[in-house]
Amino acid sequence: MTGIALDRVSLSYGARRVLDEVSLRVAPGESLALLGPSASGKTSLLRAVLGLAVPGSGVVSLGERVVSRDGRVLVPPEERNLAVVFQDLALWPHLTVEGNLAFGLSAHGVRAEERTARIAAMLRRVGLDGVGRRHPGELSGGQRQRVAIARALVLDPGAVLLDEPL
């Protein structure tokens, strides 16, 4: 597991500041829930950790590695070893459940035999054994949410970030 640290991170979208010198630490293996009203910056904070938004100031670190500092991305999102479950789940409707899980594994160079084994094990783990050949539109809302979680976990990331998981 990867620890996450933000030190005086600020982020703006145009003239609108959404994070104002936010500092926090999440130890490896620790769980943290951010609670707040809509538009309070929770998703923006996740985007800064993921590298999808660049803070104008402050430092974002993953473990001992500084990944962004003062408006500069030092480690691109794809090299941060993080997984995310987005609020809207972001499943590809044209891919099967197995295809959704295989996409990230393929991008990481995981061989076909290992991909197949990891996908089958993960689908069993989240209670979706037997639905791998279905498309997201053929599943219930809860099943789609478990597919999105499985897609994140199958990568064996250093940390999983959940945006509005409930």
Side-chain angles (χ1 to χ4, degrees):
M1 290 300 210
T2 301
I4 299 170
L6 284 79
D7 184 25
R8 299 175 56 122
V9 169
S10 294
L11 176 66
S12 298
Y13 296 119
R16 191 170 137 249
R17 182 163 267 191
V18 293
L19 300 177
D20 191 16
E21 295 196 2
V22 174
S23 295
L24 65 84
R25 300 223 181 302
V26 183
E30 182 179 20
S31 295
L32 172 71
L34 296 174
L35 303 175
S38 292
S40 64
K42 301 179 302 290
T43 297
S44 294
L45 188 141
L46 292 181
R47 291 176 53 79
V49 172
L50 289 163
L52 303 175
V54 182
S57 63
V59 177
V60 178
S61 301
L62 298 174
E64 300 298 318
R65 191 175 185 193
V66 174
V67 296
S68 71
R69 177 190 303 271
D70 297 329
R72 293 185 1 253
V73 172
L74 304 174
V75 177
E78 65 273 13
E79 294 178 16
R80 294 187 182 198
N81 192 30
L82 298 173
V84 63
V85 177
F86 292 104
Q87 179 177 358
D88 65 1
L89 306 181
L91 298 174
W92 290 289
H94 65 288
L95 295 179
T96 64
V97 168
E98 289 172 348
N100 270 275
L101 272 63
F103 187 87
L105 292 171
S106 296
H108 283 90
V110 176
R111 292 176 304 127
E113 308 81 43
E114 184 180 346
R115 274 196 316 264
T116 300
R118 284 172 67 172
I119 290 167
M122 186 56 62
L123 290 177
R124 277 192 303 277
R125 183 174 174 189
V126 298
L128 292 176
D129 198 23
V131 302
R133 298 204 188 279
R134 292 188 194 169
H135 288 82
E138 300 174 285
L139 303 175
S140 71
Q143 288 173 317
R144 285 192 301 271
Q145 190 163 25
R146 285 185 279 154
V147 171
I149 292 167
R151 183 179 60 189
L153 294 176
V154 77
L155 297 173
D156 195 25
V160 178
L161 307 178
L162 305 162
D163 191 11
E164 302 283 349
L166 304 175

